[in-house]
Amino acid sequence: MRKFLVILDDSRECLNAMRFAAMRAANTGGGVQILSIIPPEEFQHWIGVGAIMREEARERIEAHYEVFAKWMRDRQGIDPELVIREGESVPEILAQIREDADIGVLVLGAGVDKGGPGPLVSQMSRNAGTLPVPITIVPGDMSKERLEAVT
C-alpha cells in the first residue's frame, strides 16, 4: 500500500496537508503516515530535565495526533500511523522515507505568511531533485472545497 507521509507540527498549514493526505489516501486506496519530529535539546547537560521535556513533547504530539486521526477515521475511513522521531527535521524526514519503502509521496503544507512557504518547504524543495519520492505542497489557505476537488 502506498503511504502519504505528512508532517505533524505546530504550523497552521499542517492542517491542510493532513486533510490533503487523508483525502488522497481515501480516494486512491492508500494509507497515511504522520511523522512528528522532536528537535534536539539545547541543554544536554540537564539529562533529567531533557528526559522530562521529551516525554512531555511525546504526550503533546500524541494528543495532537489523536485529533487528526479521529477526523481521518470518521470522515475518510483512514487509520493513520504515527511515527515520532528525534533530531533535525530534514534528516529525520529523509531517514523515515528511506526506512519505509511503502512511502510514496511526501505531503507538506505551505505557509501563507510574507516570510515564504515555511522553512521545511524551503529546505525540502531545495533537495527535490534528489529525493526518493515526489513532494506534494499544499497551499495553507486552500479551502476545504478546493481540497476535495483536487483530491
Side-chain angles (χ1 to χ4, degrees):
M1 171 194 336
R2 177 178 66 162
K3 294 179 191 174
F4 292 86
L5 177 63
V6 63
I7 310 305
L8 173 63
D9 58 22
D10 293 330
S11 67
R12 288 179 44 227
E13 55 270 16
C14 170
L15 175 60
N16 267 2
M18 291 285 174
R19 286 179 178 148
F20 180 89
M23 287 188 247
R24 280 297 295 152
N27 290 335
T28 62
V32 174
Q33 185 176 90
I34 298 174
L35 173 62
S36 189
I37 302 163
I38 300 172
E41 299 299 327
E42 293 180 20
F43 300 105
Q44 292 296 329
H45 60 277
W46 296 100
I47 293 172
V49 173
I52 291 169
M53 290 173 70
R54 275 193 298 282
E55 184 57 34
E56 289 173 351
R58 285 182 177 278
E59 289 172 5
R60 274 193 317 275
I61 289 166
E62 289 170 0
H64 201 178
Y65 160 79
E66 281 305 323
V67 171
F68 289 112
K70 181 174 180 358
W71 177 84
M72 287 183 190
R73 284 185 212 105
D74 293 351
R75 298 279 176 94
Q76 302 300 322
I78 297 292
D79 191 19
E81 167 189 4
L82 175 64
V83 175
I84 301 173
R85 297 181 73 111
E86 294 184 29
E88 297 295 334
S89 295
V90 172
E92 292 302 324
I93 292 167
L94 295 174
Q96 185 62 30
I97 292 169
R98 281 191 302 274
E99 292 171 16
D100 189 337
D102 291 337
I103 294 172
V105 178
L106 172 61
V107 180
L108 300 174
V112 295
D113 296 334
K114 293 177 185 173
L120 192 54
V121 170
S122 297
Q123 289 173 340
M124 295 305 289
S125 296
R126 276 193 289 272
N127 299 318
T130 60
L131 292 176
V133 298
I135 300 175
T136 297
I137 300 174
V138 182
D141 63 352
M142 186 176 267
S143 70
K144 289 181 207 175
E145 295 77 22
R146 183 75 180 127
L147 278 171
E148 288 173 1
V150 299
T151 58

